[in-house]
Amino acid sequence: MPLGQVHQVLQAAFGWEDAHLHRFVTSDPFAPLRPVDSAMPEAHQWLPGTKCEEPGDRPEEDCSLDQLLALGSGAAFYEYDFGDSWLHRLDLVSRRPADKDCPPALLIDGARRGPLEDSGGFPGYEDIMEALADPSHPDHGDHASWVAGITGSEEPFDPAYLHIPP
């Protein structure tokens, strides 16, 4: 699967709107770098071709998920929204032959719904969830209105709910 398609699959799985930059890397971008032979290794990242600006940037259009996984140690990372820094580890769990009658990706299981777009990363999302859970919280009303605008629903937001289509 081309990296651009992996990006679209992850956007759909998390309910995001592709409103921010993203990148793929072969190692955890937040892990400390260790020098190799007294030099810092060049970190490569795969971005949409139009966003490649640095020497280590590679166009995602030229790479597939299996190629990216082979470059790392069996895992790769996807980061979305560099301000919120939603970081996802991608691991190969199993392989199956492509079937033209089946979609290229299918959500089969999960624990919770994805965090809301533009919610401020882990700290911001936790603050929003805390305020929503407590009607007496001073920010409850503001956050409830913001969530309704993002989700398009006045229904109470349940972070544990995950809709898996049949």
Side-chain angles (χ1 to χ4, degrees):
M1 181 181 290
L3 293 183
Q5 190 174 5
V6 173
H7 164 68
Q8 292 304 318
V9 165
L10 292 168
Q11 289 291 299
F14 281 87
W16 291 331
E17 297 182 5
D18 197 7
H20 302 280
L21 291 174
H22 68 277
R23 68 179 176 160
F24 293 90
V25 293
T26 57
S27 59
D28 183 346
F30 298 113
L33 291 175
R34 296 192 174 110
V36 175
D37 296 328
S38 301
M40 294 306 281
E42 183 177 358
H44 296 291
Q45 59 182 359
W46 286 260
L47 303 152
T50 58
K51 302 297 181 187
C52 292
E53 298 174 353
E54 302 296 325
D57 293 352
R58 304 287 185 261
E60 69 181 22
E61 296 82 0
D62 295 346
C63 190
S64 64
L65 182 57
D66 60 328
Q67 291 170 322
L68 185 69
L69 289 168
L71 291 170
S73 56
F77 293 84
Y78 167 80
E79 183 181 5
Y80 175 67
D81 185 349
F82 300 158
D84 284 2
S85 288
W86 296 112
L87 185 63
H88 309 272
R89 181 184 167 115
L90 307 175
D91 289 297
L92 178 63
V93 175
S94 67
R95 289 182 182 267
R96 65 177 170 84
D99 181 346
K100 64 181 171 91
D101 296 328
C102 291
L106 188 61
L107 178 61
I108 57 172
D109 196 10
R112 300 170 66 84
R113 72 188 318 160
L116 297 169
E117 186 116 27
D118 292 324
S119 57
F122 283 120
Y125 186 67
E126 286 177 350
D127 289 346
I128 292 167
M129 294 302 102
E130 181 181 311
L132 290 178
D134 179 4
S136 66
H137 191 286
D139 294 327
H140 178 82
D142 288 342
H143 286 313
S145 295
W146 180 81
V147 168
I150 293 287
T151 63
S153 172
E154 294 293 328
E155 292 293 317
F157 182 79
D158 181 2
Y161 172 75
L162 175 64
H163 173 70
I164 299 178

